[in-house]
Amino acid sequence: MWTADDIPDLSGSTALVTGASSGIGLATALHLARRGAEVIMTARDRARGRVALERVRAAAPEGRAEIRGLDLADLASVRAFTDDLDRPIDLLVNNAGVAMIPRRTTADGFEAQFGVNHLGHFALTGSLLPRLLAGQGARVVTVSSGAHAMGRIDFDDLGLENGYRRFGAYCRSKLANLLFALELQRLAGGKLLSLAVHPGPTATSIMRPGVFTRPVTAFMRLALKAPEKGALPSLYAATHPGVAGGTYVGPGPRALTPSPRALDEDLARRLWIVSEELTGVRFAALTSRP
């Protein structure tokens, strides 16, 4: 059974983990720092991010970690964040996200679950591509979910203006995450490794009143696994020396088979092109698409 103790020495590498102020993101950042990586943690809420940073520093006193503000619901914030980075990135963990929230839109007018979970990370990854390709063997790990199998993408209604269901919007965003991760690997070839993960049922900030009733939330927090367990697929995908690009890693950790819809290359290409148009970000080093 693979555990965080099996993570190899990461000294000399730089990792960037989005949504690292709590839950799986915080656990991922902590274990990467423990193994010697220089960890850039991002958080939309800088105050919560500073608290998380202190937890990482306390648990990994010899590690190097910092916190930076990043709002994936605002493409201007993504641009400012990437413009301010001045070093190569060896590992990008696209972890942050929102789940099953009432319908709202991002600063750029996108439906929020699709805008944050997919488009924000699409723009971030594309903007960081030169820094990812500056070294050797960079990895991009994108957190999806088993819920992706229930996702549907209607390109004529990306704003879900013709009917919004919280869970359906979440499933759609997780399908987009997996389509993105697999298409990125197809385009990257040997230039980098792109992987996706399914954490499994984990007690994170998603399990809060407002998403579920208080009794259901309390029960689920008792029944679900801790974020440290939920982070194992991300850590395995990020660090295991034998994992192949395009792998979808689930609890265990072990390789999972994506749903047929997630393996639809035509759907992935269409989503990619639409995502480029919506964000204005193009992965020029990987594709010559107009």
Side-chain angles (χ1 to χ4, degrees), residues 44-221:
R44 181 179 58 83
D45 186 325
R46 294 291 290 270
R48 290 183 63 197
R50 286 191 290 270
V51 172
L53 177 62
E54 291 308 311
R55 288 184 60 184
V56 171
R57 287 176 171 170
E62 296 182 0
R64 293 176 296 165
E66 62 181 275
I67 189 73
R68 296 197 181 199
L70 172 63
D71 185 355
L72 290 163
D74 186 347
L75 293 178
S77 175
V78 175
R79 287 191 293 271
F81 175 84
T82 55
D83 287 347
D84 193 46
L85 279 180
D86 57 357
R87 71 200 82 169
I89 301 297
D90 302 288
L91 171 61
L92 170 62
V93 183
N94 289 324
N95 167 82
V98 294
M100 292 170 275
I101 58 176
R103 189 185 184 282
R104 63 187 64 157
T105 57
T106 68
D108 304 281
F110 310 130
E111 184 276 313
Q113 296 195 70
F114 185 74
V116 172
N117 299 354
H118 169 60
L119 291 175
H121 281 123
F122 181 94
L124 177 68
T125 306
S127 299
L128 288 175
L129 192 60
R131 291 169 176 79
L132 289 163
L133 298 179
Q136 296 290 326
R139 296 192 191 194
V140 177
V141 176
T142 300
V143 178
S144 181
S145 166
H148 84 273
M150 293 174 277
R152 304 286 190 277
I153 299 177
D154 180 356
F155 289 98
D156 294 324
D157 188 23
L158 287 176
L160 298 182
E161 296 172 354
N162 296 326
Y164 180 82
R165 294 180 299 111
R166 298 184 188 194
F167 184 64
Y170 175 72
C171 294
R172 180 183 71 157
S173 73
K174 295 292 104 177
L175 172 60
N177 286 151
L178 193 45
L179 287 165
F180 163 69
L182 298 180
E183 182 69 0
L184 177 59
Q185 184 59 55
R186 284 188 285 266
L187 292 173
K191 294 182 179 179
L192 57 76
L193 296 182
S194 173
L195 306 100
V197 302
H198 164 45
T202 307
T204 68
S205 59
I206 291 174
M207 304 306 164
R208 64 187 185 277
V211 175
F212 304 101
T213 63
R214 288 184 181 275
V216 170
T217 299
F219 172 78
M220 293 180 76
R221 285 191 176 278

